[in-house]
mmCIF file of all heavy atoms in Angstrom:
data_model
loop_
_atom_site.group_PDB
_atom_site.id
_atom_site.type_symbol
_atom_site.label_atom_id
_atom_site.label_comp_id
_atom_site.label_asym_id
_atom_site.label_seq_id
_atom_site.Cartn_x
_atom_site.Cartn_y
_atom_site.Cartn_z
ATOM 1 N N GLU A 23 -11.342 -6.906 7.432
ATOM 2 C CA GLU A 23 -10.075 -6.974 6.727
ATOM 3 C C GLU A 23 -9.904 -5.666 5.958
ATOM 4 O O GLU A 23 -10.845 -5.178 5.309
ATOM 5 C CB GLU A 23 -10.043 -8.145 5.754
ATOM 6 C CG GLU A 23 -8.717 -8.263 5.046
ATOM 7 C CD GLU A 23 -8.631 -9.456 4.111
ATOM 8 O OE1 GLU A 23 -9.473 -10.371 4.220
ATOM 9 O OE2 GLU A 23 -7.712 -9.467 3.274
ATOM 10 N N PHE A 24 -8.703 -5.104 6.045
ATOM 11 C CA PHE A 24 -8.394 -3.839 5.396
ATOM 12 C C PHE A 24 -7.573 -4.083 4.130
ATOM 13 O O PHE A 24 -6.989 -5.147 3.958
ATOM 14 C CB PHE A 24 -7.635 -2.923 6.372
ATOM 15 C CG PHE A 24 -8.458 -2.549 7.554
ATOM 16 C CD1 PHE A 24 -8.506 -3.368 8.671
ATOM 17 C CD2 PHE A 24 -9.213 -1.383 7.564
ATOM 18 C CE1 PHE A 24 -9.279 -3.033 9.776
ATOM 19 C CE2 PHE A 24 -9.996 -1.041 8.660
ATOM 20 C CZ PHE A 24 -10.018 -1.867 9.770
ATOM 21 N N ASN A 25 -7.527 -3.080 3.261
ATOM 22 C CA ASN A 25 -6.847 -3.243 1.980
ATOM 23 C C ASN A 25 -5.334 -3.385 2.093
ATOM 24 O O ASN A 25 -4.672 -3.707 1.118
ATOM 25 C CB ASN A 25 -7.215 -2.116 1.010
ATOM 26 C CG ASN A 25 -6.851 -0.739 1.503
ATOM 27 O OD1 ASN A 25 -6.968 -0.436 2.682
ATOM 28 N ND2 ASN A 25 -6.436 0.130 0.592
ATOM 29 N N ASP A 26 -4.770 -3.202 3.285
ATOM 30 C CA ASP A 26 -3.334 -3.455 3.459
ATOM 31 C C ASP A 26 -3.084 -4.867 3.998
ATOM 32 O O ASP A 26 -1.964 -5.228 4.310
ATOM 33 C CB ASP A 26 -2.688 -2.412 4.365
ATOM 34 C CG ASP A 26 -3.128 -2.522 5.819
ATOM 35 O OD1 ASP A 26 -4.086 -3.273 6.113
ATOM 36 O OD2 ASP A 26 -2.526 -1.843 6.662
ATOM 37 N N GLY A 27 -4.168 -5.658 4.132
ATOM 38 C CA GLY A 27 -4.048 -7.036 4.598
ATOM 39 C C GLY A 27 -4.268 -7.220 6.090
ATOM 40 O O GLY A 27 -4.414 -8.343 6.558
ATOM 41 N N LYS A 28 -4.306 -6.149 6.854
ATOM 42 C CA LYS A 28 -4.511 -6.259 8.298
ATOM 43 C C LYS A 28 -5.936 -6.724 8.587
ATOM 44 O O LYS A 28 -6.884 -6.294 7.938
ATOM 45 C CB LYS A 28 -4.260 -4.921 8.981
ATOM 46 C CG LYS A 28 -4.301 -5.001 10.488
ATOM 47 C CD LYS A 28 -3.803 -3.723 11.116
ATOM 48 C CE LYS A 28 -3.662 -3.889 12.614
ATOM 49 N NZ LYS A 28 -3.030 -2.725 13.220
ATOM 50 N N VAL A 29 -6.065 -7.624 9.561
ATOM 51 C CA VAL A 29 -7.360 -8.141 9.990
ATOM 52 C C VAL A 29 -7.556 -7.760 11.450
ATOM 53 O O VAL A 29 -6.653 -7.920 12.270
ATOM 54 C CB VAL A 29 -7.424 -9.681 9.819
ATOM 55 C CG1 VAL A 29 -8.704 -10.238 10.414
ATOM 56 C CG2 VAL A 29 -7.298 -10.050 8.353
ATOM 57 N N LYS A 30 -8.742 -7.257 11.766
ATOM 58 C CA LYS A 30 -9.059 -6.893 13.150
ATOM 59 C C LYS A 30 -10.408 -7.492 13.513
ATOM 60 O O LYS A 30 -11.307 -7.553 12.677
ATOM 61 C CB LYS A 30 -9.132 -5.375 13.303
ATOM 62 C CG LYS A 30 -7.814 -4.702 12.968
ATOM 63 C CD LYS A 30 -7.738 -3.350 13.555
ATOM 64 C CE LYS A 30 -7.405 -3.508 15.003
ATOM 65 N NZ LYS A 30 -6.951 -2.323 15.653
ATOM 66 N N ILE A 31 -10.533 -7.915 14.748
ATOM 67 C CA ILE A 31 -11.819 -8.338 15.292
ATOM 68 C C ILE A 31 -12.226 -7.257 16.284
ATOM 69 O O ILE A 31 -11.490 -6.979 17.236
ATOM 70 C CB ILE A 31 -11.727 -9.725 15.947
ATOM 71 C CG1 ILE A 31 -11.351 -10.754 14.885
ATOM 72 C CG2 ILE A 31 -13.039 -10.084 16.625
ATOM 73 C CD1 ILE A 31 -11.108 -12.140 15.400
ATOM 74 N N ILE A 32 -13.372 -6.634 16.027
ATOM 75 C CA ILE A 32 -13.788 -5.462 16.802
ATOM 76 C C ILE A 32 -15.135 -5.710 17.455
ATOM 77 O O ILE A 32 -16.072 -6.193 16.804
ATOM 78 C CB ILE A 32 -13.867 -4.215 15.890
ATOM 79 C CG1 ILE A 32 -12.492 -3.918 15.296
ATOM 80 C CG2 ILE A 32 -14.400 -3.016 16.652
ATOM 81 C CD1 ILE A 32 -12.482 -2.816 14.265
ATOM 82 N N ASP A 33 -15.234 -5.378 18.739
ATOM 83 C CA ASP A 33 -16.510 -5.347 19.439
ATOM 84 C C ASP A 33 -17.038 -3.933 19.290
ATOM 85 O O ASP A 33 -16.494 -2.975 19.852
ATOM 86 C CB ASP A 33 -16.331 -5.709 20.912
ATOM 87 C CG ASP A 33 -17.639 -5.739 21.679
ATOM 88 O OD1 ASP A 33 -18.710 -5.451 21.080
ATOM 89 O OD2 ASP A 33 -17.606 -6.039 22.883
ATOM 90 N N PHE A 34 -18.085 -3.758 18.519
ATOM 91 C CA PHE A 34 -18.627 -2.444 18.221
ATOM 92 C C PHE A 34 -19.488 -1.873 19.349
ATOM 93 O O PHE A 34 -19.734 -0.665 19.366
ATOM 94 C CB PHE A 34 -19.463 -2.490 16.935
ATOM 95 C CG PHE A 34 -18.638 -2.467 15.687
ATOM 96 C CD1 PHE A 34 -18.085 -3.634 15.192
ATOM 97 C CD2 PHE A 34 -18.401 -1.291 15.013
ATOM 98 C CE1 PHE A 34 -17.322 -3.627 14.045
ATOM 99 C CE2 PHE A 34 -17.639 -1.260 13.861
ATOM 100 C CZ PHE A 34 -17.093 -2.433 13.378
ATOM 101 N N LEU A 35 -19.950 -2.688 20.277
ATOM 102 C CA LEU A 35 -20.878 -2.205 21.300
ATOM 103 C C LEU A 35 -20.370 -0.955 22.021
ATOM 104 O O LEU A 35 -21.120 0.017 22.152
ATOM 105 C CB LEU A 35 -21.234 -3.315 22.288
ATOM 106 C CG LEU A 35 -22.379 -2.982 23.255
ATOM 107 C CD1 LEU A 35 -23.656 -2.599 22.507
ATOM 108 C CD2 LEU A 35 -22.636 -4.161 24.174
ATOM 109 N N PRO A 36 -19.112 -0.910 22.469
ATOM 110 C CA PRO A 36 -18.648 0.311 23.146
ATOM 111 C C PRO A 36 -18.564 1.533 22.212
ATOM 112 O O PRO A 36 -18.483 2.663 22.689
ATOM 113 C CB PRO A 36 -17.234 -0.055 23.637
ATOM 114 C CG PRO A 36 -17.132 -1.532 23.552
ATOM 115 C CD PRO A 36 -18.106 -1.972 22.517
#
Side-chain angles (χ1 to χ4, degrees):
E23 182 178 344
F24 296 86
N25 60 322
D26 69 350
K28 186 170 188 173
V29 173
K30 299 200 79 164
I31 297 175
I32 299 173
D33 182 358
F34 281 83
L35 190 57

